[in-house]
C-alpha cells in the first residue's frame, strides 16, 4: 500500500502534484535542488490552497491539515522512507537518469520510482537504474489539482504488480487513469501535439489567419480553445520539444516542428509566459491578447437586404434566424421570383444543385444524392435557370454565397466576372462558443466578395472563418486528420476507444471524445474528405486508416 510519497522538483507541476497527494491524505516528502527552491514550492502550495479557501472550497483548518502532511527540503536522503517517489523535473533525459540512479542508493527495494515525463521514453529512464522493473510513468496534466487524467505508462521491463498499484493509487487520488505502453507522446500528447503541429503548419502555409484557425476549432468543433491559443498557453518551447520526440519516433513529417514554431522559440517568443507567441499579450504571463500587425480586422456592417434562395426546413430555419438577427430577408424559390432580388448585395443560395429539382432543400431530405461533386456542378450558373435568374437580378456587383455540405470547391463558369462573385460557404452546427460559417477563397474570388460574405456572417451572429478553397476548408482539414490519428492508434492496438476518449476528455478538456466526433461526422465522410485532401497534397498522414473502411463496410459506429 502506497501511503508515503516523495516528489522531486517543486515548480508549478511538482507543487501541484504535492497538493494532489496531500489532499488525498498521503504523507508527502517534497524536495527540490536548494532550500530556496523548496521554500518557493511551499509558497506555490500555500497560494493554491489559499485560493481554494477564498472561494469557499476549503476551510482554514483543512488547509492547515493539508500543509501539515508535507515536509519540504533539499535533501534526497529524505526519500528513504517513501513508498513511491515521483520526479517532476525538466524534460531532459540526463537529469532524470541522474536523479533515479542517485535514488537507487537511498530508497527501499520495494519503493516505486515514477516519472512525470510527458514525452521521454520510460524504457530509457528505467534502463539507467539498478532495478528497471520498478520504474513506471505517472504522467499528470497541468494543473495537476484540476485535471483528472493520469497516464500510467509501463515499459517492457515494468513489474505489472507495481503498475496495478500505481493505477489504484491514481484512483485513490480521484483521478481517471489510463494504462498504456511506452510510446512517444503516450496517448494524449501523441494525439494532441500532432494536431497542434498540423494546425501551426496550416497557419504557416496561409490556409487561414491565426484567429480563423482558432475560431474554426473552438466555435466550429466545440474544443475548449483554438490550437494556436493552446500552443501559447502550453508554451511554444514545450510543443517544439514534443514535436521533436514524435518526429524522431515516427518519421512523420507532419508532426515535425514547423519552421515558424522553431523561429518563434529561437526568438524567445514562447507564448504567454514570455508575452509573445502566435499572439501578443499585454504582459509576461498574461492571457490578455492585444492587437498587433497580424490582427484580423472585424467584419464591416452589412449594408442592405439579404437574398435567400431555396426551400425546405433548413431554408425556413435560416430565414427565421436571419430575421431574428435583424436582417431583412428576400426569399426566392423559383426563377419567377428572382427579380425581387434586384439591388440585393448578397444572396445565400442553399444547395444550389437541387433548386430545379424536387429536393426539400439544405440536406433535410435524408438522401445521399447531394454529394460534394453535385454542389460543384450546381454552381454552373449557365446550367441552372434559378441561379441564372438570380445572377441577372442582382447584377455583376452582387455576391452569391453558395451554401453546401462539407468541403466544397468553386466550379468555374467560364466567366471571370461571375466567378469572382460566387463564394462557397459551409455552415456548421452551433457550439457553445458560437456557430461557424466557413468561407472559401481562391484566386478566382474577389476580396470584396469574401468581405461581403463576412459581413453577412457577422450580421447573422455567425463566426466567419475564411480559408483557402481546398478540400476540407479549415474545420474538416484540421479535425479529420485528428480523428484519423485516433483511428490509427486504435487500429495499432496501443489504446482502446475508452482509453483514447478518457485521455482527450480528462486530459485535454475536450467536451466530446474523438470517436464521438468521428461517429457524428460519419466514417464515410471522414474517409472521403481525407481522400480528397490526400489527392490534393500527397501527404501520407492523410491516407485514411483501414479501420475507417472496415467501419464503413460494416456500417458500424466506433462507439456502441
Amino acid at each position: 500500500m502506497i501511503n508515503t510519497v516523495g516528489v522531486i522538483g517543486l515548480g508549478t507541476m511538482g507543487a501541484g502534484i504535492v497538493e494532489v497527494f496531500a489532499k488525498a491524505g498521503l504523507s508527502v516528502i517534497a524536495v527540490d535542488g536548494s532550500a530556496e527552491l523548496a521554500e518557493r514550492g511551499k509558497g506555490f502550495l500555500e497560494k493554491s490552497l489559499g485560493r481554494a479557501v477564498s472561494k469557499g472550497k476549503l476551510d482554514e483548518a483543512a488547509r492547515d491539515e493539508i500543509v501539515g502532511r508535507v515536509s519540504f527540503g533539499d535533501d534526497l536522503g529524505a526519500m528513504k522512507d517513501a513508498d513511491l517517489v515521483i520526479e517532476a523535473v525538466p524534460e531532459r533525459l540526463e537529469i532524470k537518469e541522474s536523479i533515479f540512479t542517485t535514488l537507487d542508493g537511498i530508497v527501499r527495494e520495494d519503493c516505486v520510482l515514477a516519472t512525470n515525463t510527458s514525452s521521454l521514453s520510460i524504457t530509457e529512464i528505467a534502463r539507467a537504474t539498478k532495478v528497471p522493473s520498478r520504474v513506471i510513468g505517472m504522467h499528470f496534466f497541468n494543473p495537476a489539482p484540476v485535471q483528472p487524467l493520469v497516464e500510467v505508462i509501463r515499459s517492457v521491463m515494468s513489474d505489472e504488480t507495481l503498475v496495478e498499484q500505481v493505477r489504484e493509487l491514481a484512483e485513490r487520488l480521484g483521478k481517471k487513469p489510463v494504462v498504456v505502453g511506452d510510446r512517444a507522446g503516450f496517448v494524449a500528447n501523441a494525439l494532441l501535439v500532432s494536431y497542434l503541429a498540423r494546425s501551426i503548419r496550416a497557419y504557416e502555409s496561409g490556409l487561414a489567419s491565426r484567429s480563423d484557425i482558432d475560431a474554426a476549432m473552438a466555435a466550429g468543433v466545440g474544443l475548449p480553445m483554438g490550437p494556436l491559443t493552446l500552443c501559447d498557453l502550453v508554451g511554444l518551447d514545450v510543443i517544439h520539444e514534443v514535436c521533436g520526440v514524435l518526429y524522431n519516433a515516427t518519421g512523420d513529417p507532419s508532426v515535425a516542428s514547423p519552421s515558424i514554431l522553431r523561429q518563434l522559440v529561437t526568438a524567445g517568443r514562447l507564448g504567454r509566459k514570455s508575452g509573445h507567441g502566435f499572439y501578443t499579450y499585454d504582459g509576461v504571463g498574461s492571457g490578455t491578447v492585444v492587437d498587433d500587425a497580424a490582427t484580423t480586422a472585424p467584419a464591416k456592417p452589412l449594408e442592405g437586404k439579404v437574398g435567400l434562395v431555396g426551400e425546405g426546413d433548413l431554408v425556413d430555419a435560416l430565414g427565421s434566424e436571419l430575421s431574428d438577427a435583424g436582417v431583412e430577408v428576400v426569399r426566392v424559390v423559383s426563377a419567377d421570383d428572382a427579380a425581387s432580388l434586384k439591388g440585393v448585395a448578397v444572396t445565400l443560395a442553399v444547395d444550389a444543385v437541387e433548386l430545379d429539382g424536387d429536393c426539400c432543400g439544405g440536406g433535410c431530405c435524408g438522401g445521399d444524392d447531394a454529394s460534394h461533386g453535385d454542389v460543384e456542378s450546381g454552381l454552373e450558373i449557365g446550367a441552372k435557370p434559378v441561379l441564372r435568374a438570380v445572377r441577372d437580378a442582382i447584377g455583376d456587383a452582387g455576391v452569391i454565397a453558395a451554401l453546401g455540405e462539407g468541403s466544397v470547391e468553386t466550379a468555374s463558369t467560364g466567366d471571370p466576372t461571375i466567378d469572382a462573385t460566387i463564394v462557397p460557404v459551409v455552415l456548421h452546427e452551433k457550439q457553445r462558443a458560437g456557430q461557424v460559417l466557413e468561407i472559401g477563397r481562391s484566386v478566382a474570388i474577389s476580396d470584396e466578395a469574401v468581405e461581403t460574405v463576412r459581413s453577412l456572417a457577422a450580421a447573422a451572429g455567425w463566426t466567419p472563418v475564411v480559408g483557402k478553397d481546398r478540400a476540407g476548408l479549415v474545420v474538416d482539414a484540421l479535425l479529420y486528420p485528428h480523428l484519423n490519428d485516433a483511428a490509427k492508434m486504435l487500429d495499432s492496438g496501443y489504446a482502446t476507444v475508452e482509453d483514447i476518449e478518457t485521455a482527450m476528455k480528462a486530459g485535454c478538456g475536450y467536451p466530446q471524445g474523438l470517436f464521438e466526433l468521428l461517429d457524428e461526422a460519419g466514417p464515410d465522410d471522414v474517409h472521403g474528405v481525407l481522400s480528397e485532401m490526400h489527392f490534393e497534397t500527397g501527404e501520407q498522414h492523410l491516407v485514411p486508416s483501414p479501420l475507417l473502411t472496415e467501419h464503413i463496410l460494416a456500417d458500424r459506429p466506433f462507439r456502441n
Side-chain angles (χ1 to χ4, degrees):
M1 186 76 169
I2 297 173
N3 293 311
T4 301
V5 174
V7 179
I8 301 172
L10 303 178
T12 303
M13 175 59 82
I17 294 172
V18 167
E19 181 177 340
V20 170
F21 285 127
K23 278 183 174 178
L26 284 78
S27 297
V28 184
I29 306 161
V31 171
D32 212 327
S34 68
E36 292 76 17
L37 291 175
E39 191 62 27
R40 185 191 67 165
K42 184 177 182 181
F44 287 152
L45 174 63
E46 291 175 338
K47 184 176 180 181
S48 177
L49 296 175
R51 285 196 298 267
V53 171
S54 66
K55 294 178 181 179
K57 296 180 179 180
L58 197 69
D59 60 38
E60 293 184 358
R63 176 199 60 194
D64 294 343
E65 185 177 348
I66 292 169
V67 174
R69 295 190 187 112
V70 186
S71 63
F72 291 88
D74 59 356
D75 181 11
L76 281 179
M79 300 295 176
K80 61 183 176 59
D81 296 322
D83 301 314
L84 176 144
V85 178
I86 181 170
E87 61 77 17
V89 301
E91 287 285 270
R92 289 175 55 187
L93 183 62
E94 65 273 18
I95 297 177
K96 296 179 187 292
E97 287 180 340
S98 175
I99 287 172
F100 280 5
T101 54
T102 301
L103 288 173
D104 272 338
I106 296 172
V107 299
R108 301 192 314 263
E109 291 184 0
D110 62 345
C111 178
V112 180
L113 300 183
T115 171
N116 186 56
T117 182
S118 61
S119 58
L120 297 177
S121 168
I122 308 300
T123 306
E124 283 195 66
I125 295 171
R127 189 180 57 183
T129 69
K130 290 181 180 179
V131 189
S133 62
R134 67 176 177 180
V135 178
I136 294 168
M138 192 176 189
H139 180 213
F140 289 81
F141 286 72
N142 198 27
V146 176
Q147 295 285 55
L149 178 66
V150 171
E151 289 179 316
V152 179
I153 306 102
R154 63 162 74 89
S155 76
V156 294
M157 299 178 286
S158 296
D159 182 331
E160 287 299 320
T161 302
L162 300 183
V163 173
E164 179 60 19
Q165 286 184 21
V166 173
R167 187 196 66 77
E168 291 176 351
L169 172 62
E171 290 183 340
R172 285 168 56 198
L173 300 175
K175 300 297 186 180
K176 295 181 179 180
V178 169
V179 181
V180 291
D182 185 17
R183 197 165 94 171
F186 314 132
V187 179
N189 278 343
L191 294 173
L192 178 66
V193 176
S194 296
Y195 150 70
L196 295 178
R198 291 163 188 161
S199 300
I200 295 169
R201 195 164 280 106
Y203 170 57
E204 185 175 46
S205 68
L207 177 69
S209 70
R210 64 187 183 185
S211 57
D212 282 357
I213 284 175
D214 278 348
M217 303 312 288
V221 179
L223 300 186
M225 63 181 67
L228 302 182
T229 297
L230 180 56
C231 286
D232 275 358
L233 174 63
V234 172
L236 303 192
D237 51 340
V238 174
I239 303 300
H240 170 66
E241 289 174 3
V242 179
C243 281
V245 171
L246 293 176
Y247 177 67
N248 289 338
T250 65
D252 179 0
S254 75
V255 302
S257 184
S259 174
I260 190 172
L261 178 61
R262 298 196 302 271
Q263 292 175 45
L264 288 169
V265 172
T266 301
R269 298 193 167 194
L270 308 180
R272 292 189 185 184
K273 59 187 174 185
S274 68
H276 294 83
F278 288 107
Y279 294 90
T280 301
Y281 301 89
D282 67 358
V284 173
S286 170
T288 302
V289 175
V290 297
D291 288 348
D292 58 21
T295 299
T296 302
K300 296 177 181 178
L302 179 67
E303 297 181 359
K305 304 175 184 178
V306 170
L308 182 58
V309 180
E311 57 183 327
D313 292 344
L314 174 61
V315 184
D316 291 343
L318 289 172
S320 297
E321 190 171 351
L322 288 167
S323 296
D324 290 345
V327 177
E328 188 173 353
V329 179
V330 179
R331 289 285 300 271
V332 169
V333 296
S334 70
D336 294 337
D337 303 327
S340 62
L341 295 174
K342 185 175 182 180
V344 170
V346 57
T347 297
L348 185 62
V350 181
D351 276 355
V353 66
E354 300 292 351
L355 290 177
D356 299 311
D358 298 325
C359 180
C360 59
C364 58
C365 304
D368 295 325
D369 295 333
S371 68
H372 300 323
D374 290 334
V375 175
E376 285 187 35
S377 63
L379 298 178
E380 296 173 3
I381 300 297
K384 297 296 170 183
V386 173
L387 285 182
R388 186 169 60 248
V390 169
R391 169 54 61 203
D392 291 343
I394 65 177
D396 292 342
V399 175
I400 295 177
L403 184 68
E405 296 181 1
S407 61
V408 294
E409 295 179 356
T410 304
S412 174
T413 68
D415 185 332
T417 302
I418 293 176
D419 289 347
T421 58
I422 302 173
V423 183
V425 297
V426 174
L427 184 62
H428 289 267
E429 293 290 331
K430 185 174 292 185
Q431 306 290 340
R432 58 183 179 180
Q435 186 171 15
V436 160
L437 182 77
E438 284 193 278
I439 304 167
R441 61 178 172 84
S442 74
V443 294
I445 301 171
S446 71
D447 292 341
E448 292 77 11
V450 170
E451 286 305 308
T452 297
V453 179
R454 283 186 76 219
S455 298
L456 164 63
W462 303 326
T463 301
V465 168
V466 180
K468 289 182 180 179
D469 188 16
R470 303 287 191 268
L473 292 179
V474 182
V475 173
D476 291 353
L478 297 180
L479 176 62
Y480 285 6
H482 197 20
L483 303 182
N484 196 39
D485 285 345
K488 289 178 179 178
M489 180 178 285
L490 175 64
D491 198 24
S492 74
Y494 178 67
T496 66
V497 168
E498 291 71 23
D499 288 339
I500 293 169
E501 300 294 74
T502 298
M504 302 314 291
K505 290 195 288 186
C508 303
Y510 282 24
Q512 291 179 280
L514 294 179
F515 289 106
E516 289 180 79
L517 291 168
L518 204 164
D519 282 341
E520 283 186 5
D524 52 346
D525 189 63
V526 174
H527 189 290
V529 173
L530 287 170
S531 297
E532 291 174 17
M533 293 172 66
H534 179 250
F535 179 78
E536 280 187 355
T537 67
E539 295 179 4
Q540 287 303 300
H541 77 278
L542 297 171
V543 175
S545 166
L547 195 59
L548 288 175
T549 304
E550 288 185 31
H551 279 261
I552 293 168
L553 294 175
D555 192 22
R556 179 178 176 179
F558 280 87
R559 291 178 58 88
N560 296 323

